[in-house]
Amino acid sequence: MDRERDRERDDAPRELPRFALGPVAGLAAVFAAVLMALSGRYGYHRDELYFLAAGDHPAWGYVDQPPLTPFLARTATALFGDSTVALRVPATLAFVAAVLVVALVARELGGGRRTQMVAAGLAGVSGQPLGVGHMVSTATFDLLAWLLICWLVLRLLRTGDGRWWLAIGLCVGVGLLNKYLVALLVVALLAGVLAVGPRRVLRSPWLLAGAAVALAVTAPNLWWQADHDWPQLTVAEGIGTDDGTENRILFVPEQLIYLSPLFVPVWVAGWLRLWRDPVLRWARPAAVAYPLLCVLVVALGGKGYYVVPLLIVLLVAGCEPALAWTRRHGRTWPVVAVIVTVAVNSMVTLPILPPSSLVVPMALNKEQGEQVGWPALADAAAVGWSAIPAGERARAVVFTQNYGEAGALDRYGPARGLPRPYSGHMSYADWGPPPDSADGPVLVVRQEDADGIERYFTDCRRVARVDNGYGVENEEQGAAVMLCSGTTQPWSRLWPSLRHYY
């Protein structure tokens, strides 16, 4: 008991440095200007097209995600217009907020003005944050939610004030409305506190109050999932089954490149600082949480980027020893490392290169190519639609293999005279099937190697082929547009066989 009281005295709140609001906000504004200037290049990502469609079907949940990101997509286009620039305003704002929170984390760890600036700058030019900050994705807002939770938990651990559990619970609840991965962060951080303390924060009655807040915020979505037999679990199982082995093999290499290979010494130093520094003994749970989270993600077969927010916390913790190193050895190599990182990460994650030159960045970030070619896909579908006799079009259906193709035709099809598309992929399956009275020709859009889907239709022939015009080898390059005379069964009977989650 005496030792525990001594530790509590050692961990007593200390006066923090002033928050460098002006410089950090200025830096964040530069990042925002760059992202906004580039947000109109290329085009929508396949997931963005899906979010737009989901936003037009508002619900408390979807089979593969909670409702927040589709809601933000719908709100952005309603407020700012129907364009990629308008859609990506929330992503830019989330990135700016994340940069500010990174500086707050640095301050929480005792960093002064310079450390806060360096931490915000290094996080802002890191690869994964730039990539998700450029476009709307669940990972975009997940990054912000995780960083906010980490900052609040560090504040709780430093001060011992249990009332911070309320704010933590609110952020966890909102985070769960965006992506369920937040639950893994909560598990890792709680395990870290249990393992190395300070455990007194777990005895606070405010913990239950915070948990109640989180549950109240996310309850509508949990109710939706339960009412639909937990489809998210089916999706997660599909990810683990189809990609689990590859994800496990790539996990460690990805940890080295997701921020920047040149930043590895900084975040390693940050982990060592959190683990060894007696002044930051209260922050040791963050050091424990990162490897524990890595184990959890690898065991589940999840993707390596899931743990990036905690990696950023380690990067922030490493800024203080990194600055100390530069004072002893000079700034030349650190400056060179940052310049190289900015150049490489910008090329790999942002739409800087012409689309015809994407072969190099796509080797590291295939998402670049998923923003190219969707109007061309709609053009190819329009060619196929024109092959249907005018008298049969009222009973004809456009069916796509996946939600990206369906989203593209939802977005670009009406201007080309195409009807509403249907798909059995993810939540598009909930927005179908076509009526059984639609017993005419079926125009099927599928990826080049997905010819198995044609067994559900009759007398299929290819009438067009997708060519994005840039030679970008994304998933839809070379996709086939097949014209079939009809279905093998009525749509209502066929639909369960056409539904797929991954």
Side-chain angles (χ1 to χ4, degrees):
M1 291 297 294
D2 291 340
R3 182 177 298 177
E4 182 70 18
R5 284 194 295 270
D6 290 342
R7 286 181 178 178
E8 290 187 7
R9 284 194 295 269
D10 291 341
D11 294 339
R14 295 176 177 82
E15 184 177 352
L16 294 178
R18 292 184 61 184
F19 181 47
L21 178 60
V24 173
L27 181 63
V30 172
F31 286 131
V34 171
L35 291 176
M36 289 301 296
L38 295 174
S39 61
R41 285 178 57 81
Y42 299 175
Y44 295 100
H45 187 275
R46 69 166 58 246
D47 290 351
E48 291 178 315
L49 293 167
Y50 181 39
F51 297 142
L52 288 171
D56 288 334
H57 297 83
W60 275 112
Y62 304 90
V63 298
D64 53 336
Q65 63 189 305
L68 183 60
T69 298
F71 170 77
L72 292 174
R74 179 186 177 94
T75 301
T77 53
L79 291 177
F80 307 116
D82 186 15
S83 69
T84 55
V85 175
L87 173 66
R88 290 169 176 170
V89 169
T92 300
L93 294 177
F95 182 90
V96 167
V99 169
L100 293 172
V101 174
V102 163
L104 288 170
V105 171
R107 176 176 179 261
E108 204 65 36
L109 296 175
R113 177 190 182 98
R114 187 181 181 193
T115 303
Q116 295 172 35
M117 282 288 292
V118 170
L122 294 187
V125 301
S126 292
Q128 177 69 9
L130 272 180
V132 301
H134 158 61
M135 62 188 183
V136 172
S137 70
T138 54
T140 305
F141 309 106
D142 200 43
L143 175 68
L144 175 58
W146 280 47
L147 290 174
L148 272 170
I149 292 167
C150 288
W151 170 58
L152 291 169
V153 167
L154 288 173
R155 197 160 183 82
L156 167 71
L157 297 177
R158 182 183 63 82
T159 65
D161 188 345
R163 289 173 295 182
W164 286 107
W165 281 118
L166 295 177
I168 293 169
L170 178 61
C171 288
V172 169
V174 174
L176 287 170
L177 287 179
N178 173 68
K179 201 173 179 74
Y180 300 120
L181 288 176
V182 168
L184 294 182
L185 174 65
V186 173
V187 169
L189 288 172
L190 287 175
V193 175
L194 280 170
V196 296
R199 299 181 188 90
R200 67 183 185 278
V201 298
L202 301 179
R203 297 192 292 268
S204 170
W206 292 102
L207 172 57
L208 291 179
V213 170
L215 181 61
V217 171
T218 195
N221 175 247
L222 294 177
W223 180 271
W224 188 96
Q225 281 285 327
D227 190 50
H228 290 76
D229 298 324
W230 301 98
Q232 181 68 48
L233 297 179
T234 304
V235 175
E237 182 182 2
I239 293 175
T241 300
D242 289 4
D243 294 341
T245 300
E246 180 182 359
N247 290 340
R248 292 182 181 99
I249 293 172
L250 294 177
F251 185 86
V252 172
E254 287 173 343
Q255 298 307 293
L256 304 179
I257 66 173
Y258 268 135
L259 301 184
S260 167
L262 299 177
F263 289 174
V264 172
V266 181
W267 62 258
V268 169
W271 188 91
L272 292 172
R273 181 187 175 209
L274 291 177
W275 183 253
R276 294 176 176 175
D277 191 340
V279 177
L280 296 179
R281 183 168 56 199
W282 53 268
R284 288 179 71 186
V288 174
Y290 173 70
L292 177 58
L293 186 63
C294 290
V295 171
L296 289 173
V297 171
V298 170
L300 294 171
K303 300 180 185 297
Y305 76 81
Y306 291 174
V307 303
V308 164
L310 265 183
L311 203 58
I312 292 175
V313 172
L314 301 183
L315 181 76
V316 173
C319 287
E320 196 73 44
L323 287 172
W325 188 94
T326 61
R327 286 192 290 269
R328 294 192 302 269
H329 301 282
R331 301 179 182 178
T332 302
W333 287 113
V335 169
V336 170
V338 171
I339 292 174
V340 171
T341 294
V342 170
V344 173
N345 284 351
S346 297
M347 181 187 71
V348 170
T349 64
L350 299 178
I352 293 176
L353 298 176
S356 57
S357 301
L358 282 178
V359 61
V360 174
M362 281 182 64
L364 292 174
N365 179 23
K366 69 177 183 178
E367 308 305 329
Q368 288 274 58
E370 297 304 319
Q371 302 169 72
V372 172
W374 298 114
L377 184 141
D379 289 338
V383 170
W385 185 256
S386 68
I388 300 174
E392 299 182 28
R393 292 178 188 172
R395 297 184 297 111
V397 169
V398 176
F399 181 84
T400 72
Q401 172 202 349
N402 62 52
Y403 66 64
E405 298 157 350
L409 297 184
D410 258 331
R411 174 64 180 79
Y412 298 108
R416 292 162 172 80
L418 294 173
R420 167 199 171 186
Y422 291 88
S423 179
H425 192 206
M426 297 299 189
S427 279
Y428 261 98
D430 292 332
W431 309 329
D436 285 341
S437 59
D439 56 357
V442 181
L443 192 71
V444 179
V445 180
R446 62 162 174 82
Q447 292 175 344
E448 188 175 21
D449 59 352
D451 52 357
I453 196 173
E454 291 157 35
R455 69 183 182 274
Y456 299 107
F457 308 102
T458 57
D459 300 325
C460 297
R461 60 187 176 90
R462 192 170 80 173
V463 292
R465 177 182 177 274
V466 176
D467 183 356
N468 56 50
Y470 301 107
V472 176
E473 293 298 327
N474 58 19
E475 292 189 23
E476 265 59 48
Q477 177 68 340
V481 179
M482 310 295 298
L483 181 57
C484 307
S485 61
T487 60
T488 57
Q489 301 179 66
W491 284 107
S492 58
R493 294 177 58 188
L494 196 62
W495 203 245
S497 299
L498 291 172
R499 177 164 207 159
H500 58 112
Y501 290 96
Y502 192 65

